[in-house]
Amino acid sequence: MTTQTTETTHPELELIPAAKPLIGQDERRAVDAVLASGGLAQGPEVAAFEHEFGDVLVDGRPVVAVNSGTAALHLALVALGVGPGDEVIVPSFTFAATANAVRLVGATPVFVDIDPITYCVDPAAVRRAVTPATRALMPVHLYGHPADMTALSAIAAEHGLLVIEDAAQAHGARWAGARVGSTSDAAAFSLYPTKNMTAGEGGMISTASAGVDRTLRLLRNQGMEQRYANEVIGFNARMSDIHAAIGRVQLGKVLSWTAQRQANAAYLTRELRGVVTPTVHAAAEHVFHQFVVRVPEDRDGFAEALRAEFAVGSGVYYPTPVHRLPSFGLELDLPETERAAGEVLALPVYPTLTLAQLDRIVEGVNTLAGAGR
Ligand SMILES: *Cc1c(COP(=O)(O)O)cnc(C)c1O
């Protein structure tokens, strides 16, 4: 027997992981069919995946497939002409990829604070951060809860700004009835294994305009539409047919998985005591990429005890605000961002959790919170 690094008081309990990609026989068969076809790179599977993704998740908008969510953000900025001298307003309470994409095009990310209820950018803070150099707003639909698109669209319209959504965590979420990625200039989705649906790796960009759509198709493929007739300087950011085949199968399941995530979230919200459970804005449909509670005292000790005593995994997204990462190294006054970074804890919410597992999560959290942990 090997010794575990983390001792658990109940070695008979199987760990409930924080997240779990769901890959079944149909994903395997779809990959096998592509391998048997001999056409592995971007081809008919990618084209079909784009059409289906647009129909199912962004109200029929055109969608361009790329090889990651980060590439989706980056290429959206390039295609919309955001570059040196431009400021882009972003949250600091997000994954680094959001602000990295802005820096990679030579623009300046301007970090603003979040709304402590939704964890998304605070529209009032966004409004205060607008300057003559502001070119775009880049809200993040964090944890699957949409940012306030009504307020952000109004600010953008007033100042002539682009809106580029980071929808990496929010497949199918809605604000005021509209799917995220269906109303802005562009939106980037991620298909990384831990997201609400996966292609292994991958990303999707939905856009408002046929011109931007065409530019994105050029940019992902060395700037070419016709082979060796490169029109612009481009990247290789293509998705392979192997990845698209996985994504197409997952797309057929994502809406029912989302309903199960929402049901699991409702159960946890009803049963948990002693921690602050998520609030869903009246205009929002939350797709619960993460189910995030606040643990105001000793969050890290709480997570450790949850794992050791109840074999419940959890995650902290994100422990360090992006502006303070060594890669940015900024000192800013973003109090709600700092408070969230110290308090948030994501509990398992994935669709295949059993009732017994949900009850173990509830027992663990309520016992530890009740004991004053
Ligand atoms: C996952 C994620 C990304 C990046 O997506 P990748 O597919 O991993 O490149 C960007 N922004 C946010 C908020 C994410 O969660």
Side-chain angles (χ1 to χ4, degrees):
M1 262 201 62
T2 54
T3 330
Q4 301 269 290
T5 46
T6 308
E7 291 291 327
T8 63
T9 344
H10 305 282
E12 75 282 4
L13 291 180
E14 201 185 321
L15 179 76
I16 304 172
K20 191 172 172 182
L22 306 172
I23 299 293
Q25 284 305 325
D26 29 3
E27 281 88 347
R28 287 175 217 276
R29 273 194 295 272
V31 169
D32 257 351
V34 173
L35 295 177
S37 79
L40 309 185
Q42 183 185 298
E45 288 290 325
V46 170
F49 187 26
E50 288 175 336
H51 281 114
E52 293 160 4
F53 191 98
D55 286 346
V56 174
L57 291 178
V58 286
D59 294 343
R61 273 211 169 176
V63 164
V64 178
V66 291
N67 55 7
S68 72
T70 305
L73 289 166
H74 182 200
L75 266 60
L77 288 163
V78 176
L80 288 162
V82 177
D86 293 333
E87 292 177 356
V88 179
I89 299 176
V90 297
S92 178
F93 194 57
T94 177
F95 185 51
T98 317
N100 286 352
V102 175
R103 279 286 276 274
L104 285 170
V105 299
T108 304
V110 174
F111 295 100
V112 298
D113 213 352
I114 52 166
D115 169 347
I117 304 295
T118 66
Y119 300 104
C120 298
V121 275
D122 172 4
V126 170
R127 187 180 285 285
R128 284 193 298 273
V130 173
T131 74
T134 307
R135 191 66 206 294
L137 310 181
M138 210 164 185
V140 180
H141 306 305
L142 200 72
Y143 307 145
H145 190 298
D148 183 342
M149 293 302 290
T150 311
L152 295 172
S153 304
I155 296 167
E158 204 176 303
H159 296 276
L161 309 175
L162 297 165
V163 179
I164 302 163
E165 299 166 75
D166 182 339
Q169 304 186 356
H171 311 71
R174 288 185 169 102
W175 180 265
R179 297 274 194 200
V180 300
S182 70
T183 60
S184 61
D185 295 285
F189 294 85
S190 167
L191 300 166
Y192 185 73
T194 56
K195 304 293 156 102
N196 284 20
M197 61 173 283
T198 185
E201 288 268 13
M204 286 286 190
I205 312 154
S206 72
T207 57
S209 104
V212 175
D213 181 85
R214 177 160 194 278
T215 304
L216 288 167
R217 286 169 199 283
L218 292 175
L219 289 172
R220 75 171 167 189
N221 187 33
Q222 316 285 2
M224 303 187 289
E225 184 174 317
Q226 302 297 323
R227 191 186 295 205
Y228 308 136
N230 309 53
E231 298 173 40
V232 297
I233 307 292
F235 304 83
N236 175 0
R238 296 183 303 260
M239 179 183 285
S240 81
D241 263 16
I242 303 170
H243 293 87
I246 300 172
R248 290 182 72 192
V249 174
Q250 297 257 313
L251 185 64
K253 305 176 184 176
V254 70
L255 295 181
S256 64
W257 280 341
T258 298
Q260 194 56 54
R261 284 177 180 274
Q262 291 165 335
N264 292 346
Y267 188 84
L268 292 172
T269 299
R270 192 171 68 237
E271 299 296 329
L272 292 179
R273 305 278 176 269
V275 292
V276 182
T277 53
T279 303
V280 183
H281 191 284
E285 179 178 349
H286 191 332
V287 295
F288 288 101
H289 171 58
Q290 303 290 358
F291 181 89
V292 172
V293 299
R294 283 186 191 258
V295 184
E297 301 274 314
D298 187 20
R299 182 261 327 270
D300 295 342
F302 189 98
E304 185 76 34
L306 199 55
R307 187 183 181 94
E309 294 169 32
F310 297 91
V312 173
S314 60
V316 175
Y317 313 103
Y318 296 89
T320 307
V322 174
H323 73 273
R324 284 207 283 108
L325 292 171
S327 47
F328 286 94
L330 297 172
E331 274 183 44
L332 300 168
D333 185 26
L334 303 176
E336 292 300 345
T337 295
E338 296 294 347
R339 191 159 72 89
E343 294 182 353
V344 294
L345 188 66
L347 300 172
V349 74
Y350 49 86
T352 53
L353 284 173
T354 63
L355 190 56
Q357 288 176 318
L358 284 165
D359 283 336
R360 174 137 54 95
I361 297 165
V362 169
E363 189 201 344
V365 170
N366 290 359
T367 305
L368 293 173
R373 276 225 61 136

